[in-house]
Amino acid sequence: MFPIPTGSLLALGAILFCIGLYGALTKRNLIIVLVSIELMLNAANINLVTFSRLGVAPNINGQVFALFTITVAAAEIAVGLALLLAIFRVRKTTEVQDLDVHKH
């Protein structure tokens, strides 16, 4: 197996998290916001696996937590897309600013 330095993995996780945070906070399309949240969860997974490799006795706890996070993310995206489709049928838009229920 090709060893990847820990600093590089942590930098990759930080970059992915920053891109996801920027997308979640600035984009107006709900699909892009969901994709940005997925990027942030993947950055957390990279960090979990990286930190599980460190220490005196490396273990698979980080990989198990990453698998749990992937499962939760899959459920989250399924529910999010279902809500998005239901909202799109009613409002005919996926823009976040148009989804204020109290406006109409």
Side-chain angles (χ1 to χ4, degrees):
M1 186 163 114
F2 181 68
I4 300 173
T6 303
S8 298
L9 290 172
L10 293 177
L12 176 65
I15 290 169
L16 280 178
F17 189 85
C18 289
I19 292 171
L21 184 64
Y22 175 77
L25 293 178
T26 61
K27 299 301 177 187
R28 295 181 180 186
N29 192 327
L30 192 56
I31 294 173
I32 301 299
V33 172
L34 288 174
V35 169
S36 298
I37 291 171
E38 292 293 321
L39 270 179
M40 289 191 289
L41 289 172
N42 284 328
N45 287 339
I46 288 173
N47 286 339
L48 285 171
V49 173
T50 300
F51 285 124
S52 73
R53 292 182 350 165
L54 299 177
V56 177
N59 52 34
I60 63 167
N61 288 343
Q63 294 164 354
V64 171
F65 281 124
L67 186 62
F68 179 73
T69 305
I70 290 170
T71 305
V72 171
E76 172 253 334
I77 201 71
V79 171
L81 285 177
L83 288 172
L84 179 67
L85 285 175
I87 291 170
F88 183 76
R89 285 183 182 171
V90 174
R91 302 276 178 138
K92 305 293 183 202
T93 183
T94 59
E95 298 293 319
V96 174
Q97 63 188 10
D98 296 336
L99 299 179
D100 188 5
V101 178
H102 301 293
K103 268 187 173 177
H104 301 281

